[in-house]
Amino acid sequence: MLIFRGMSFFYGNDIYPHLLNTTTLAFRAIINEMKPVKLKNITWGDGETLPFIAGPCVIESRDLVFKTCEKLKTICEKLKLPFIFKSSYDKANRTSVNSFRGHGIEEGLEILSAVKKEFGVFVLSDVHEISE
């Protein structure tokens, strides 16, 4: 079972949309007060749906990132939700200095660029330093 930031529960190929609908209703009041924001073909605010921003916390492997993006994109298309893929090339805010932080900026951005090209989605990542 996976939990995506309280938005919905997925088990195998089953989606429990009633949980998504509850969250959607909670956000509806906020969305209605927003001024519209447009990012190419995605618009939110002024009564539009919020984009679903999701992905692995940190890029562990190219294969995992591609499989995750493919699955999330398919789910969002079925639910007619705008999708923005998010994953970090460097997860600097770990609680242990021994935790895996990612593959670094060069390899990480190369993988995120490949995700954008392969799946045609917007990509979002963390920035930790001004120099990045």
Side-chain angles (χ1 to χ4, degrees):
M1 179 183 291
L2 299 173
I3 301 173
F4 289 103
R5 303 224 163 108
M7 292 288 292
S8 188
F9 291 82
F10 302 92
Y11 184 79
N13 291 326
D14 296 327
I15 300 171
Y16 296 88
H18 62 282
L19 295 172
L20 184 62
N21 290 340
T22 302
T23 304
T24 301
L25 291 174
F27 284 116
R28 184 60 58 196
I30 296 168
I31 296 169
N32 286 334
E33 297 298 318
M34 292 175 57
K35 292 184 180 180
V37 176
K38 186 168 178 78
L39 179 65
K40 292 195 178 185
N41 64 331
I42 298 176
T43 302
W44 63 93
D46 195 27
E48 296 293 328
T49 303
L50 285 173
F52 190 71
I53 301 172
C57 181
V58 66
I59 298 169
E60 293 184 26
S61 72
R62 182 184 185 102
D63 185 52
L64 177 65
V65 168
F66 271 56
K67 286 179 181 176
T68 304
C69 184
E70 181 178 39
K71 184 69 173 179
L72 289 171
K73 182 179 179 187
T74 300
I75 291 167
C76 287
E77 286 172 348
K78 286 180 182 177
L79 296 173
K80 296 185 179 11
L81 289 173
F83 173 54
I84 299 173
F85 184 79
K86 182 187 183 299
S87 193
S88 297
Y89 54 83
D90 178 24
K91 205 64 178 172
N93 57 346
R94 295 294 188 187
T95 55
S96 170
V97 294
N98 297 322
S99 294
F100 178 71
R101 287 183 49 168
H103 294 282
I105 192 166
E106 286 187 31
E107 186 178 352
L109 290 179
E110 178 185 313
I111 292 169
L112 291 175
S113 179
V115 165
K116 181 178 180 178
K117 184 177 181 181
E118 176 74 20
F119 297 101
V121 297
F122 293 107
V123 174
L124 180 65
S125 189
D126 302 333
V127 177
H128 301 284
E129 301 285 336
I130 294 171
S131 62
E132 297 176 336

